[in-house]
Amino acid sequence: MGLSLKEKEAIIFENDSDPQRILNIFLDIQFASEEGYIDEETAKLVGSHLGLSEARVYELLSFYAILKTEPQAKYVLKICNSTPCLYTGGDMLAEVLETILEVPIDQATPDGLFMYHSIPCIGACDQGPVIKIKDTVFSDLTEEKVYQLIDDLRNGCYLEL
Amino acid sequence: MIKRNQPVLLERVNKMEHATDVAEYERYQGFEGLKKAIEMDKETILDELDIAHLRGRGGAAFPLGKKWRHLYGSKGDTKYIVCNADEGEPGTFKDKALLAHDPLSVIEGMVIAGYLFSAKAGYIYMRGEYRRIQKVFQEALDHAEAAGFLGDNILGIEGFDYKITIISGAGAYVCGENSALLNSIEGKTGRPRVKPPHLADVGLYLKPTLVNNVESFAGIPVILREGGQAYRDLGTEDGGGTKLICLSGHVKNRGLYEVNLGTPLHEIIYSDEYGGGSSTGNPLKFIHFGGQSGPIGAVKNLDDCIYSYEGLWEKNLSIGSGAIVVMDDQVSIVDYLVQVAVFFAHESCGKCTPCRLGTTRILELLTKFNKKQAESGDLERLEHMLTHVTNLSACGLGQSVANPMRSGLDYFPEEFEAGLKEAAVPVKGGLW
C-alpha cells in the first residue's frame, strides 16, 4: 500500500516544504511507504511543492544511492562490502543469503518478501558481519544467526521494520 | 582541569543517561565553553584556537584556527556554519557516537562558531544511514532551543539569533567532500565544486561558509572552557588534543576509543586497554589508516610508531578520520586493494573524467593482478594510472585514491609480482 496524498503532504509540510530538505522528505516518504521507493507521481508532487523542476528532482533520485525509483522487496537486506566488514566474516553473507533465499544478489524473492544487496559502509565496522534492514542493524552475525534472522522475519517478528 | 589520559570527548558519552537533556549536559560542564566565549574578545577566541592547535578531525588535518581566522577575515554580512556529519568513511564510526550520545557538545561548538561569526544559520549535514540519530539530534536541538541556547537572543544577548537545521544525506560518499556537501544542502546533486574560490569566501549560497567535522566542533567547547594551552598539552607539538580512533578488523577489541595524540601505536594495537592484539591468532600484517583513502602501513615497520600527526607523517602515513583497520597475514594486499578500488569506482561522482574512468581502470588492473592474469607492463600502467588520477582529479576523492594503492605497492611488491602471468609477453608501443 502506498502512502495517501495527505500522508505524503504531511511529510512535506513537516519539513517546511523546504527545498534544502528535499532529501529528508524523500527518505521519510520512502521509508514510510511499504514498497520502499519514490514513484513518478510522488516525485512530481514533491517537486511542485518545493518549486523544483522534474529534471532537478530526477537528477537527485538517480544520484543518491539510498533513494529508489523501483518497488523494493518488503525486507531489503543490506550487506556492507567495505573492507573492515568484508574481512571480518562479511564475505559469507551473500553466499548464505543466496542459499537461504535462492535468488542472486539484487533480485527479489518470488513472494516479494526479501532482497539483498551490497552497500559501502553503514558505520558499524566494529560489529561486523552486519545486515541492515531499514534503520536496524543486525550485528556480529554468524551463519546460524542469519538463518534465524530470515526465519524470524518470515514468521513476522520485528514488526517495527 | 583536564589531564592526559582522561576521556575528554567521550566523557559524557560514557556517563550521560539522557544524551539530549540540557540540565544533565550542564552537570558535566556543558555550555561552559559557550559562556566563556561570550565574555571573551573575539580575537582572543581565535588566539585560543590557534594555541590549542586543533587540526580538523574530518581527515584533512588542516589547522582549525587558521580556517576560522580565514572566515573571520572574509567579507560579508551573511556567514554560514556547517557541520559535516556525513561520516561515510569505511572504518570510521566515531562521529556516530558523538551525534547519538553527546549531541549537545556538537551543538555547543556550532553555537560558539555562530557567535564568533555572527551567523544566523547553522546546518548539520548528516548521512542518510544515521536516520535514527537524526531524530536524537533534532530532540537535542529542540531542548537546546527551549533552554535558550538556540533561537533568538541566545543567553540574553540582543541580536544573538542562531538556528541549526538538520539536512539529511541520502547515500553518497562524495558528499563528505565539503563543497559537494554544500551543493547537497542547496538541494542539488552532491558533486564537488571547482576550488578556488575557498568556501570561506564563496560557500553555501555563495556566502562565506565554515565547514568542520563533528569531532572538531565537539572539541571547541573544551578549548574555550579549559584554555587553548591545556587542550594543546593533551596532544603533541604538531597537533593538540585527543583523537577518537575506530579500531576494526582483526583485533580482539574492536570499537571506539579516545587516545591522546602521542600514544604509541603498539599500545593501541596490542594492549588490553585498546585493541588487545590479533583476534584470529595469526600475526598481524598491515594497518589501513584514516579510511579507504588513507595510506597503509606494514605492521613490521610500525613497532616504534607514535600515533600523532607527526609520528604518522614520519612513516608516510596519516591519521585521516581516525580509522585504524588491522589485517592479519591471511589477507592478500592485492585482494584487499581490489575491494578498496571497488569502493572508489562505486563512489566516484562522475563529474570529472580522470576520477570517473581512472577509478574503473585501477579496479580493472588490480583485478588482473588478483586473478594472476596481469601482463608485462601492467605494473607500470597501474603506477601511471595512479599518478594520473591523483594529479588530474578535481576533488579530494580522486586525489586520494592512490594513497592505499601506492603504499601497498611499496610494502608488498612481491604480491603484485606474483600476480603477473607466467611467460608474460612484453607489450609493444606506448603505455596508453
Side-chain angles (χ1 to χ4, degrees):
Chain A
M1 282 283 286
L3 295 182
S4 69
L5 176 66
K6 223 174 178 180
E7 287 169 315
K8 289 176 199 169
E9 286 188 328
I11 289 174
I12 297 170
F13 297 145
E14 272 166 30
N15 285 285
D16 304 325
S17 306
D18 182 356
Q20 293 179 130
R21 291 172 62 80
I22 186 167
L23 297 179
N24 305 52
I25 292 169
F26 276 140
L27 286 171
D28 286 350
I29 292 177
Q30 180 170 301
F31 274 68
S33 75
E34 209 160 282
E35 289 180 309
Y37 80 111
I38 304 294
D39 58 30
E40 200 177 323
E41 188 191 319
T42 309
K44 281 183 182 167
L45 177 79
V46 172
S48 68
H49 273 282
L50 271 48
L52 299 174
S53 69
E54 281 181 38
R56 168 72 79 84
V57 170
Y58 272 95
E59 194 188 13
L60 296 178
L61 288 174
S62 59
F63 183 79
Y64 293 97
I66 301 177
L67 300 176
K68 305 293 178 194
T69 50
E70 298 289 335
Q72 303 292 300
K74 184 170 182 191
Y75 300 116
V76 179
L77 300 102
K78 297 193 261 185
I79 314 168
C80 177
N81 66 351
S82 282
T83 52
C85 281
L86 203 60
Y87 288 95
T88 49
D91 52 347
M92 61 92 175
L93 290 175
E95 216 173 294
V96 173
L97 287 172
E98 186 167 357
T99 310
I100 306 176
L101 302 174
E102 298 175 335
V103 285
I105 202 158
D106 293 329
Q107 192 181 307
T109 51
D111 58 6
L113 211 50
F114 297 102
M115 183 190 223
Y116 61 100
H117 64 229
S118 292
I119 60 158
C121 197
I122 56 171
C125 323
D126 56 338
Q127 301 161 35
V130 292
I131 288 177
K132 189 172 184 185
I133 306 171
K134 288 209 168 173
D135 291 330
T136 303
V137 175
F138 297 88
S139 59
D140 295 302
L141 294 173
T142 57
E143 209 174 311
E144 293 71 37
K145 282 189 191 172
V146 179
Y147 273 91
Q148 188 64 52
L149 173 65
I150 300 294
D151 254 6
D152 286 349
L153 287 166
R154 279 188 175 138
N155 293 327
C157 289
Y158 311 114
L159 289 176
E160 79 278 14
L161 288 177
Chain B
M1 265 283 284
I2 41 170
K3 290 178 290 192
R4 275 186 80 86
N5 300 319
Q6 79 175 57
V8 178
L9 298 179
L10 291 186
E11 192 194 6
R12 281 185 293 260
V13 169
N14 293 327
K15 281 185 186 163
M16 274 180 72
E17 272 182 52
H18 304 288
T20 63
D21 186 305
V22 173
E24 192 178 352
Y25 179 68
E26 287 182 293
R27 278 203 292 282
Y28 293 107
Q29 297 180 289
F31 288 117
E32 282 182 21
L34 173 64
K35 285 173 187 163
K36 277 214 174 161
I38 58 168
E39 284 166 10
M40 289 160 79
D41 181 36
K42 288 190 173 180
E43 290 285 350
T44 318
I45 295 178
L46 291 167
D47 289 343
E48 289 297 326
L49 295 178
D50 280 338
I51 294 166
H53 204 11
L54 165 62
R55 286 183 179 274
R57 300 297 198 230
F62 188 76
L64 180 135
K66 277 191 190 169
K67 194 188 233 182
W68 283 42
R69 218 172 258 284
H70 186 160
L71 186 77
Y72 192 69
S74 67
K75 292 188 177 69
D77 291 337
T78 305
K79 292 180 182 176
Y80 292 112
I81 310 301
V82 175
C83 178
N84 183 343
D86 190 52
E87 178 170 69
E89 189 66 83
T92 314
F93 41 89
K94 65 184 177 78
D95 293 343
K96 185 173 83 167
L98 293 173
L99 296 166
H101 302 294
D102 196 12
L104 289 163
S105 71
V106 184
I107 293 170
E108 186 180 351
M110 291 180 72
V111 175
I112 291 170
Y115 170 76
L116 180 66
F117 300 111
S118 306
K120 303 288 176 207
Y123 293 88
I124 179 159
Y125 184 92
M126 210 181 295
R127 70 177 301 199
E129 293 293 341
Y130 291 172
R131 271 168 50 83
R132 279 203 180 146
I133 302 174
Q134 288 175 17
K135 293 191 174 69
V136 175
F137 203 88
Q138 185 60 53
E139 190 177 283
L141 287 173
D142 294 343
H143 289 176
E145 185 162 351
F149 293 105
L150 282 171
D152 294 338
N153 303 326
I154 295 170
L155 290 165
I157 300 169
E158 185 97 3
F160 183 13
D161 307 336
Y162 182 67
K163 286 206 173 190
I164 296 172
T165 306
I166 301 175
I167 304 289
S168 179
Y173 170 76
V174 73
C175 286
E177 199 276 344
N178 288 345
S179 66
L181 184 151
L182 298 188
N183 281 340
S184 191
I185 294 178
E186 292 181 9
K188 300 171 185 161
T189 51
R191 292 197 173 90
R193 300 175 183 175
V194 175
K195 289 187 280 186
H198 197 284
L199 300 179
D201 298 312
V202 183
L204 188 64
Y205 298 113
L206 307 181
K207 302 290 185 191
T209 303
L210 176 80
V211 189
N212 273 126
N213 176 253
V214 170
E215 188 185 346
S216 304
F217 274 118
I220 300 296
V222 183
I223 293 171
L224 293 175
R225 193 183 76 215
E226 306 287 343
Q229 191 59 48
Y231 184 85
R232 182 173 196 146
D233 290 344
L234 297 173
T236 60
E237 186 58 31
D238 265 319
T242 59
K243 179 79 192 82
L244 298 184
I245 55 167
C246 309
L247 281 177
S248 64
H250 297 144
V251 285
K252 277 185 197 146
N253 314 320
R254 298 180 294 171
L256 173 70
Y257 301 91
E258 183 170 13
V259 297
N260 288 94
L261 286 165
T263 304
L265 180 67
H266 194 276
E267 194 181 321
I268 291 172
I269 304 299
Y270 291 101
S271 79
D272 289 337
E273 191 184 348
Y274 302 112
S278 169
S279 59
T280 60
N282 301 316
L284 299 177
K285 178 177 169 184
F286 64 88
I287 303 175
H288 196 174
F289 290 92
Q292 298 288 280
S293 58
I296 290 172
V299 167
K300 61 178 193 284
N301 300 337
L302 297 174
D303 259 354
D304 57 343
C305 182
I306 300 296
Y307 194 78
S308 64
Y309 289 100
E310 62 272 41
L312 291 187
W313 290 335
E314 251 174 49
K315 305 272 186 190
N316 291 321
L317 300 169
S318 61
I319 281 181
S321 65
I324 301 179
V325 180
V326 185
M327 289 289 134
D328 74 7
D329 69 353
Q330 300 304 298
V331 179
S332 140
I333 190 78
V334 183
D335 192 52
Y336 184 91
L337 290 173
V338 167
Q339 301 307 327
V340 175
V342 166
F343 176 81
F344 283 114
H346 181 262
E347 294 296 346
S348 174
C349 83
K351 182 173 175 174
C352 77
T353 316
C355 178
R356 181 178 67 245
L357 296 183
T359 50
T360 304
R361 295 288 99 85
I362 290 170
L363 171 58
E364 287 166 359
L365 279 165
L366 285 169
T367 305
K368 278 175 90 177
F369 280 98
N370 203 28
K371 289 184 172 168
K372 301 200 184 303
Q373 289 171 354
E375 295 156 68
S376 170
D378 275 349
L379 206 52
E380 290 77 8
R381 274 190 204 93
L382 177 62
E383 287 185 357
H384 267 74
M385 188 50 90
L386 293 175
T387 307
H388 286 202
V389 175
T390 306
N391 294 344
L392 299 175
S393 292
C395 88
L397 190 149
Q399 287 160 10
S400 57
V401 169
N403 290 336
M405 319 295 174
R406 270 197 206 293
S407 35
L409 279 164
D410 284 350
Y411 292 118
F412 306 101
E414 68 287 353
E415 292 190 35
F416 286 86
E417 282 151 21
L420 286 165
K421 265 198 284 195
E422 277 176 56
V425 186
V427 282
K428 286 178 185 162
L431 285 169
W432 296 103

